[in-house]
């Protein structure tokens, strides 16, 4: 039979393990959120850069930022693992409830951004402008469906 002291020690150790695991989970979720926020900001900077490039008229300069958007878009599903809906995040639960639709948005953004990079290589600013509009529309549609409205 276990002594009262041994039982108390086992319960205390169990509580420490539970708290530690919970803390690690919270830390991991915060880390994922910070990573995805940084990547999404990078995409936003790339979109803004492309808009400026279109205004200046040098179509070839959109290739690098468009490729960056395509690269990050390909990472989007991995930036939203289950459990990363906790903490300070703009992600709506709809992401995980409608996972197939969410990942389709990411795939569509990746495709549109790749087409934007190709348009930049063509050198035709009108083609770039039209493809930029399509790319921005896909990006905005995902925000509409899966991101909390900012106050």
């Amino acid at each position: 039979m276990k002594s009262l002291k041994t039982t108390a020690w086992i319960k205390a150790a169990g509580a420490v393990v539970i708290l530690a695991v919970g803390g690690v989970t919270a830390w991991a979720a915060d880390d994922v959120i910070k990573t995805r926020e940084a990547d999404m900001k990078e995409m936003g900077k790339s979109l803004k850069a492309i808009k400026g490039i279109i205004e200046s008229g040098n179509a070839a300069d959109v290739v690098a930022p468009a490729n960056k958007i395509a690269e990050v878009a390909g990472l989007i599903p991995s930036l939203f693992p289950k459990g990363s809906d906790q903490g300070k995040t703009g992600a709506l639960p709809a992401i995980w409830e409608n996972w197939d639709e969410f990942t389709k948005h990411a795939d569509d953004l990746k495709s549109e951004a790749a087409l934007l990079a190709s348009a930049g290589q063509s050198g035709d600013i009108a083609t770039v402008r039209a493809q930029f509009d399509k790319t921005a529309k896909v990006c905005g549609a995902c925000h509409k469906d899966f991101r909390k409205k900012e106050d």
Side-chain angles (χ1 to χ4, degrees), residues 29-110:
D30 286 344
D31 194 42
V32 167
I33 292 168
K34 287 177 185 175
T35 299
R36 78 172 166 234
E37 285 177 349
D39 284 349
M40 295 299 170
K41 284 179 183 177
E42 192 66 33
M43 276 201 307
K45 287 179 189 176
S46 294
L47 282 168
K48 187 175 181 179
I50 292 168
K51 187 174 181 181
I53 292 165
I54 289 170
E55 291 170 5
S56 73
N58 191 0
D61 290 344
V62 306
V63 174
N67 282 331
K68 184 64 177 176
I69 294 167
E71 175 190 333
V72 175
L75 297 174
I76 288 175
S78 68
L79 297 173
F80 292 85
K82 289 185 185 210
S84 67
D85 58 338
Q86 303 299 311
K88 190 173 189 248
T89 178
L92 290 172
I95 290 171
W96 297 275
E97 294 165 1
N98 303 307
W99 185 253
D100 290 343
E101 183 182 344
F102 176 71
T103 58
K104 183 178 182 326
H105 276 284
D107 290 343
D108 291 347
L109 180 57
K110 182 178 177 180

Side-chain angles (χ1 to χ4, degrees), residues 16-34:
V16 168
V17 168
I18 290 168
L19 288 173
V21 170
V24 169
T25 302
W27 176 81
D30 286 344
D31 194 42
V32 167
I33 292 168
K34 287 177 185 175

